[in-house]
Amino acid sequence: MDSFLSTFGSDYLNGLIETFISPRKRLFLGYVALALVIGLVWLRWQGKTLKVALTSMLSRDIWLSASARADYAIVLINRALFLLASPLLLGQLAVATWLYFQLFDHYGLPPAAGALLPDWVVVTGFTLWFFLLDDFARYYLHRLLHRWPVLWAFHKMHHSARVLTPLTVLRTHPVEGLLFSLRSVVVQGLSIGLFKFFFASQVDLYTVLGVSVIVFTFNVAGSNLRHSHVPIHYWPWLERILISPAQHQIHHSTDVRHFDTNFGAVLAVWDWLGGSLHRSEPGKPLRFGIRQRVEPDEQTLAMLYLQPFNEAVMIVARPLRRCWKGLRYR
């Protein structure tokens, strides 16, 4: 028991530290610092003085609010929960191996197509394929989290944030976290398995500091400002292609006009094609959360973690009760 606690404590602490020191993580302190610089430059460009810009970005009303304090607690709790659950999760290698042998059983030896292409073509193709599939999968699962009432019951934890900080990206219910972990495993496993079958040892990603060059660019360009109060917007035509920080902030708005819009992570194209795109509205203030009215206990951990289970059970039980009543009175 002592050995387990010691190992668990060490893994927990190392994983928590890695969240902020690994370039593979979105909350890498380098990315956060760059986001701060980009935010300051944007606010100065909008006519704010440096003092006002710094004050607005580092406001105690944001970083010490009940909502932000809940974010901090959720990060600590979820790290422990996912560490305990990780041995039960299917690995990407298992999915990749399964797909490889499925293709092998149906088509025999891998085709020689890969040998006809230079390595840089294969690496470029894999980098683009992986990014597009991963980004679409994020968009599609996010859309389901809003459209399916049972899933929305859990996703509401993320949208209950009244203020946005970079740590809000980790404000997720463990059930939602499990779904996104499975999504990641499936996307990575399918991509690796498919490309390994066709191109064998040529498969690789273009990386910077161990992360895909596309994801690295996204993070360096201020991805953490999506969960902030700095409403950086792009040109209207570009917001049909890329999700701006202001567009994601609209996604968190309590305004009913903004509900179920801008599900995309990086690309806005999926929302454009899916009819859920909402371009930014420069100069219009936003309020964040699920509803306009603030409930006194909405940021308590008991409410955030347990209420979704209660709602999900009620949603599932409702049609079952109707079905049971129908059978009783036949």
Side-chain angles (χ1 to χ4, degrees):
M1 184 64 177
D2 290 342
S3 175
F4 168 78
L5 290 176
S6 176
T7 302
F8 179 83
S10 176
D11 290 345
Y12 176 85
L13 186 59
N14 289 337
L16 199 60
I17 294 173
E18 185 184 21
T19 301
F20 302 100
I21 67 170
S22 171
R24 298 174 65 88
K25 304 295 185 180
R26 181 160 159 179
L27 290 176
F28 170 53
L29 292 177
Y31 300 147
V32 175
L34 282 170
L36 175 62
V37 172
I38 293 170
L40 289 174
V41 170
W42 173 267
L43 292 174
R44 288 285 289 123
W45 187 50
Q46 296 295 305
K48 308 288 186 184
T49 66
L50 181 59
K51 181 179 180 181
V52 170
L54 273 171
T55 301
S56 64
M57 292 192 70
L58 303 177
S59 170
R60 291 169 57 90
D61 292 339
I62 293 175
W63 291 92
L64 296 181
S65 66
S67 178
R69 294 199 305 272
D71 286 355
Y72 309 148
I74 289 167
V75 170
L76 296 175
I77 293 170
N78 282 358
R79 176 60 198 162
L81 293 176
F82 283 116
L83 187 58
L84 291 171
S86 59
L88 304 177
L89 296 177
L90 189 66
Q92 67 186 50
L93 181 60
V95 176
T97 303
W98 172 84
L99 178 60
Y100 182 93
F101 282 106
Q102 287 295 313
L103 292 170
F104 180 82
D105 290 342
H106 284 83
Y107 301 106
L109 291 174
L116 304 176
L117 299 173
D119 288 353
W120 71 267
V121 172
V122 177
V123 174
T124 300
F126 182 67
T127 302
L128 290 173
W129 163 270
F130 182 77
F131 164 70
L132 290 172
L133 182 60
D134 185 67
D135 197 62
F136 174 76
R138 287 177 185 276
Y139 156 80
Y140 191 70
L141 177 54
H142 193 182
R143 191 182 184 100
L144 292 180
L145 288 169
H146 279 255
R147 297 296 175 86
W148 289 9
V150 170
L151 297 183
W152 170 243
F154 296 100
H155 186 54
K156 280 199 295 188
M157 174 192 268
H158 182 67
H159 279 270
S160 65
R162 289 290 180 177
V163 301
L164 302 182
T165 74
L167 274 79
T168 306
V169 73
L170 298 182
R171 183 191 179 102
T172 57
H173 195 280
V175 171
E176 178 183 342
L178 177 62
L179 292 174
F180 269 97
S181 294
L182 292 174
R183 178 212 62 82
S184 180
V185 166
V186 170
V187 167
Q188 294 180 37
L190 290 179
S191 298
I192 293 170
L194 183 64
F195 270 73
K196 280 291 185 182
F197 180 77
F198 284 103
F199 304 106
S201 60
Q202 292 174 285
V203 178
D204 202 354
L205 283 170
Y206 283 121
T207 61
V208 179
L209 299 178
V211 64
S212 165
V213 65
I214 299 176
V215 175
F216 177 80
T217 302
F218 171 66
N219 288 331
V220 165
S223 64
N224 286 298
L225 290 170
R226 281 159 166 70
H227 292 104
S228 78
H229 292 248
V230 183
I232 294 179
H233 59 84
Y234 302 152
W235 296 284
W237 64 266
L238 187 56
E239 288 191 340
R240 290 182 180 272
I241 302 171
L242 299 174
I243 294 285
S244 70
Q247 282 176 287
H248 190 74
Q249 291 157 16
I250 279 176
H251 177 75
H252 279 267
S253 169
T254 58
D255 191 326
V256 294
R257 297 183 303 108
H258 300 150
F259 288 178
D260 294 342
T261 61
N262 299 342
F263 300 116
V266 180
L267 296 178
V269 173
W270 315 124
D271 284 294
W272 187 17
L273 296 175
S276 53
L277 182 69
H278 195 298
R279 286 181 290 187
S280 60
E281 301 173 345
K284 293 187 177 180
L286 298 174
R287 293 187 64 188
F288 303 125
I290 298 171
R291 59 185 70 84
Q292 292 283 349
R293 186 180 63 187
V294 177
E295 301 293 339
D297 60 347
E298 66 180 19
Q299 301 300 329
T300 62
L301 295 177
M303 175 66 72
L304 292 170
Y305 277 96
L306 301 180
Q307 183 62 22
F309 288 109
N310 182 55
E311 288 188 26
V313 169
M314 296 294 290
I315 291 167
V316 173
R318 201 173 297 130
L320 293 178
R321 283 199 300 267
R322 286 199 297 265
C323 182
W324 171 247
K325 288 180 180 179
L327 291 174
R328 285 181 60 191
Y329 292 111
R330 271 188 184 176

